[in-house]
PDB file of all heavy atoms in Angstrom:
ATOM      1  N   GLU A 168     100.220 123.613 105.226  1.00 98.00           N
ATOM      2  CA  GLU A 168      99.645 122.334 105.636  1.00 98.00           C
ATOM      3  C   GLU A 168      99.319 121.478 104.411  1.00 98.00           C
ATOM      4  O   GLU A 168      98.568 121.884 103.532  1.00 98.00           O
ATOM      5  CB  GLU A 168      98.379 122.561 106.471  1.00 98.00           C
ATOM      6  CG  GLU A 168      97.851 121.253 107.016  1.00 98.00           C
ATOM      7  CD  GLU A 168      96.782 121.439 108.083  1.00 98.00           C
ATOM      8  OE1 GLU A 168      95.629 121.775 107.733  1.00 98.00           O
ATOM      9  OE2 GLU A 168      97.091 121.233 109.279  1.00 98.00           O
ATOM     10  N   SER A 194     102.611 111.402  98.206  1.00 94.00           N
ATOM     11  CA  SER A 194     104.036 111.197  98.485  1.00 94.00           C
ATOM     12  C   SER A 194     104.416 111.805  99.828  1.00 94.00           C
ATOM     13  O   SER A 194     105.261 111.267 100.547  1.00 94.00           O
ATOM     14  CB  SER A 194     104.896 111.818  97.381  1.00 94.00           C
ATOM     15  OG  SER A 194     104.657 111.148  96.161  1.00 94.00           O
ATOM     16  N   ASN A 222     107.933 110.501 116.013  1.00 94.00           N
ATOM     17  CA  ASN A 222     109.190 111.252 115.897  1.00 94.00           C
ATOM     18  C   ASN A 222     110.425 110.352 115.865  1.00 94.00           C
ATOM     19  O   ASN A 222     111.538 110.822 116.078  1.00 94.00           O
ATOM     20  CB  ASN A 222     109.301 112.251 117.063  1.00 94.00           C
ATOM     21  CG  ASN A 222     108.166 113.256 117.017  1.00 94.00           C
ATOM     22  OD1 ASN A 222     107.968 113.948 116.012  1.00 94.00           O
ATOM     23  ND2 ASN A 222     107.355 113.302 118.064  1.00 94.00           N
ATOM     24  N   ALA A 255     122.653  97.643 105.614  1.00 88.00           N
ATOM     25  CA  ALA A 255     121.247  97.779 106.009  1.00 88.00           C
ATOM     26  C   ALA A 255     120.747  96.479 106.642  1.00 88.00           C
ATOM     27  O   ALA A 255     120.050  96.497 107.656  1.00 88.00           O
ATOM     28  CB  ALA A 255     120.399  98.144 104.787  1.00 88.00           C
ATOM     29  N   SER A 297     118.716 104.051  85.138  1.00 83.00           N
ATOM     30  CA  SER A 297     117.509 104.505  84.452  1.00 83.00           C
ATOM     31  C   SER A 297     116.362 104.436  85.447  1.00 83.00           C
ATOM     32  O   SER A 297     116.478 103.832  86.522  1.00 83.00           O
ATOM     33  CB  SER A 297     117.214 103.590  83.273  1.00 83.00           C
ATOM     34  OG  SER A 297     116.796 102.327  83.748  1.00 83.00           O
ATOM     35  N   ASN A 343     101.990  86.935 100.232  1.00 96.00           N
ATOM     36  CA  ASN A 343     101.736  85.563 100.685  1.00 96.00           C
ATOM     37  C   ASN A 343     102.481  85.229 101.970  1.00 96.00           C
ATOM     38  O   ASN A 343     102.126  84.296 102.679  1.00 96.00           O
ATOM     39  CB  ASN A 343     102.142  84.548  99.604  1.00 96.00           C
ATOM     40  CG  ASN A 343     101.167  84.564  98.446  1.00 96.00           C
ATOM     41  OD1 ASN A 343     100.011  84.970  98.617  1.00 96.00           O
ATOM     42  ND2 ASN A 343     101.620  84.157  97.266  1.00 96.00           N
ATOM     43  N   TYR A 391      88.940 111.380  89.001  1.00 93.00           N
ATOM     44  CA  TYR A 391      88.714 111.620  90.430  1.00 93.00           C
ATOM     45  C   TYR A 391      87.573 112.595  90.713  1.00 93.00           C
ATOM     46  O   TYR A 391      87.196 112.790  91.859  1.00 93.00           O
ATOM     47  CB  TYR A 391      89.999 112.164  91.058  1.00 93.00           C
ATOM     48  CG  TYR A 391      91.078 111.116  91.195  1.00 93.00           C
ATOM     49  CD1 TYR A 391      92.140 111.061  90.296  1.00 93.00           C
ATOM     50  CD2 TYR A 391      91.027 110.174  92.210  1.00 93.00           C
ATOM     51  CE1 TYR A 391      93.125 110.098  90.401  1.00 93.00           C
ATOM     52  CE2 TYR A 391      92.006 109.193  92.329  1.00 93.00           C
ATOM     53  CZ  TYR A 391      93.051 109.170  91.432  1.00 93.00           C
ATOM     54  OH  TYR A 391      94.017 108.210  91.544  1.00 93.00           O
TER      55      TYR A 391
END
Side-chain angles (χ1 to χ4, degrees):
E168 186 168 76
S194 296
N222 298 304
S297 70
N343 288 337
Y391 288 102

